[in-house]
Amino acid sequence: MTLWIATLLGVVQGVFMFIPVSSTAHLVLTQHWLIGQGHVLPAPDSAEMILFDLVVHVGTLVSIAIVFWTSLVRLSVGIARQSLQWASREGTLGRELLALRLALLCALSVVATAVVGLLLKTTFERVFALPLLVVGTLTLTGILLWWTDTLGARPRGLRQITPRNAVVIGVAQGLALVPGFSRSGLTISAALLSGLKRRWAAEYSFFLAIPTILAATGVQAIEVGLNGGLGELNHGVLLTAFVVAAAVGTLALRLVLYFLYRARMKVFSFYLWALAAAVLLGVIDLG
């Protein structure tokens, strides 16, 4: 893989990580198109290419840190302080320990995601090699985004999130491992369905991405290391894509928050349906 291809894929990830149109689907479609044009890069369903996809996902975690820096610092300090408070006294984890409770709920969501991912890992990876199957998932994601705009005001704040809500959101995130299903789209939709206000649905979704993506990247890195290393990739290519994804993702995240808070996610539905039709009709040649 050349540096310009790494830059292109980093831009694709940065633009589409937070815009709820499935960055993984766009990465897979772009990779198939590049291969069809004669460029040399690993197959989209290969272990090293899936690791590349995860590395650029980690790059966009930097975007989350930049946009939500104040909230993340407040949450981290709260978790540390409240953990000490809880450890020093007897009693249950009540709502007064909000930051610690949220951390445990996020952990529960990650566990739910891991269960789905481990049970269906082989099935999910096969989709990377079959871009036409992405047509269906893109279409369903568009329908889901349209539906979220029809919802009225949500009543729940962060203090009202239950373990059941956390599991539902985690399962939705696990299903988003399938290319074409947007991680942000599915998790935000699940949070809204659970009654969370739009602001908190967004923050919970994006905060949840941090441990989930880091864990998935670590697991995939171990698998690649045990099976011969990076192959046609190298550390320079990974670093370039990482930095580009982080920079572009910061702008995309701010754009998504603008539309989400105003219940205008359906604008992305039209794009998803047009993209699915283009792939289905052969307008986009995947080689």
Side-chain angles (χ1 to χ4, degrees):
M1 182 186 295
T2 62
L3 288 180
W4 83 262
I5 289 180
T7 300
L8 172 62
L9 294 176
V11 170
V12 170
Q13 169 64 21
V15 169
F16 296 111
M17 169 62 178
F18 303 110
I19 293 176
V21 294
S22 179
S23 62
T24 303
H26 283 76
L27 283 172
V28 170
L29 293 174
T30 303
Q31 290 158 14
H32 277 283
W33 177 80
L34 288 168
I35 292 172
Q37 297 300 308
H39 297 286
V40 178
L41 65 158
D45 59 332
S46 65
E48 59 265 36
M49 203 63 203
I50 292 175
L51 175 62
F52 176 92
D53 294 346
L54 287 169
V55 167
V56 291
H57 273 75
V58 175
T60 46
L61 295 186
V62 176
S63 308
I64 296 175
I66 292 172
V67 174
F68 291 111
W69 176 256
T70 301
S71 295
L72 282 171
V73 170
R74 187 185 303 117
L75 180 63
S76 299
V77 171
I79 291 171
R81 185 179 65 251
Q82 292 172 15
S83 296
L84 293 175
Q85 291 175 357
W86 188 40
S88 64
R89 69 184 186 183
E90 295 183 357
T92 60
L93 188 61
R95 291 182 178 178
E96 70 277 8
L97 300 179
L98 177 60
L100 180 56
R101 186 170 180 273
L102 283 174
L104 293 176
L105 288 171
C106 276
L108 182 58
S109 293
V110 171
V111 170
T113 299
V115 170
V116 174
L118 290 174
L119 289 176
L120 300 176
K121 183 176 185 292
T122 301
T123 301
F124 289 167
E125 289 180 348
R126 288 174 182 168
V127 179
F128 282 80
L130 301 169
L132 286 180
L133 292 182
V134 177
V135 171
T137 52
L138 288 171
T139 302
L140 289 174
T141 300
I143 293 172
L144 188 61
L145 294 180
W146 185 282
W147 169 78
T148 62
D149 278 2
T150 67
L151 295 174
R154 304 284 86 191
R156 291 187 175 185
L158 290 179
R159 295 182 186 276
Q160 285 76 49
I161 300 178
T162 67
R164 180 179 178 180
N165 299 149
V167 170
V168 169
I169 295 170
V171 170
Q173 181 172 246
L175 294 176
L177 293 171
V178 178
F181 281 142
S182 163
R183 193 209 68 84
S184 60
L186 286 187
T187 53
I188 289 174
S189 296
L192 291 173
L193 181 62
S194 299
L196 256 65
K197 296 178 181 179
R198 292 183 181 275
R199 175 185 175 183
W200 303 126
E203 292 206 10
Y204 190 89
S205 169
F206 294 132
F207 290 172
L208 180 59
I210 296 174
T212 302
I213 293 174
L214 289 177
T217 303
V219 170
Q220 191 67 26
I222 292 173
E223 181 177 333
V224 169
L226 294 175
N227 289 280
L230 295 175
E232 299 172 30
L233 304 179
N234 59 64
H235 293 93
V237 163
L238 294 178
L239 179 61
T240 298
F242 175 93
V243 172
V244 172
V248 176
T250 301
L251 300 175
L253 178 53
R254 295 187 187 279
L255 177 66
V256 167
L257 292 176
Y258 173 85
F259 282 107
L260 175 63
Y261 294 163
R262 291 162 179 78
R264 296 176 182 172
M265 299 292 275
K266 67 179 62 172
V267 299
F268 301 118
S269 298
F270 296 111
Y271 170 80
L272 283 164
W273 295 331
L275 178 62
V279 174
L280 183 63
L281 297 175
V283 176
I284 296 179
D285 182 10
L286 301 178

